[in-house]
């Protein structure tokens, strides 16, 4: 048994999630700033899961009986869809990674659509396009246009 009492475990999990919610983006920024090769895909999932887990614990105080872990999955999917602007891939990835029954599909779809709409409203570029300059993006858009016949 890792926790001395059940109440200590209930209070330590949200505190740990809050601490990791602050430290995870900080470590990602430090790694990217130092030039260490790495992706942005996994940190997006981790940050979303941490944020969703914290919000899940808060929501379970308001509405007891709701599984906080479900909020972690929804948060991971939402942040992934928002950063990559890929809602379909985020839904498929979360469904495959969890292996759960498909009872969470409706909240997952609502979360992913909302996150994608908000992200595209704030900035048309995904996290992968954010490193490109405006001139490079315009060149890519011109190259993607179909050739006129």
């Amino acid at each position: 048994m890792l926790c001395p009492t059940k109440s200590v475990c209930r209070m330590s999990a949200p505190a740990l999630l809050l601490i990791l919610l602050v430290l995870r983006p900080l470590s990602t920024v430090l790694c990217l700033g130092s030039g260490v090769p790495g992706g942005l895909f996994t940190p997006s999932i981790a940050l979303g899961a941490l944020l969703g887990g914290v919000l899940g614990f808060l929501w379970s105080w308001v509405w007891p009986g709701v599984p906080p872990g479900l909020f972690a999955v929804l948060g991971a999917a939402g942040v992934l869809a928002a950063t990559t602007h890929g809602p379909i891939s985020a839904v498929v990835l979360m469904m495959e990674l969890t292996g759960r029954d498909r009872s969470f599909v409706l909240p997952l779809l609502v979360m992913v659509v909302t996150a994608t709409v908000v992200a595209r409203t704030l900035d048309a570029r995904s996290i992968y396009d954010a490193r490109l300059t405006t001139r490079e993006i315009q060149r890519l858009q011109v190259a993607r246009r179909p050739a006129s016949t």
Side-chain angles (χ1 to χ4, degrees):
M1 183 169 178
L2 296 175
C3 292
T5 63
K6 199 171 189 178
S7 64
V8 171
C9 287
R10 284 187 182 156
M11 296 309 291
S12 64
L16 180 61
L17 284 174
L18 281 172
I19 291 168
L20 290 174
L21 185 62
V22 172
L23 292 179
R24 179 63 192 177
L26 180 66
S27 67
T28 302
V29 167
L30 289 174
C31 288
L32 289 174
S34 69
V36 174
L40 298 172
F41 186 77
T42 305
S44 296
I45 294 174
L47 180 65
L50 290 169
L51 181 61
V54 168
L55 294 175
F57 273 109
L58 294 175
W59 187 254
S60 67
W61 288 341
V62 174
W63 194 302
V66 176
L70 176 63
F71 283 82
V73 173
L74 295 177
V79 171
L80 181 64
T83 57
T84 63
H85 289 205
I88 295 172
S89 60
V91 169
V92 171
L93 185 68
M94 285 302 123
M95 289 173 63
E96 289 297 319
L97 285 177
T98 59
R100 282 186 53 150
D101 59 351
R102 303 301 179 226
S103 62
F104 70 103
V105 172
L106 184 61
L108 181 69
L109 290 173
V110 170
M111 173 64 78
V112 165
V113 167
T114 304
T116 304
V117 167
V118 169
R120 288 183 181 177
T121 302
L122 294 176
D123 193 356
R125 299 178 300 169
S126 72
I127 198 167
Y128 301 115
D129 295 337
R131 293 183 175 188
L132 301 175
T133 63
T134 305
R135 181 172 288 171
E136 290 171 331
I137 291 173
Q138 288 172 347
R139 250 187 295 157
L140 287 173
Q141 289 173 344
V142 167
R144 289 181 187 158
R145 289 187 190 144
S148 60
T149 53

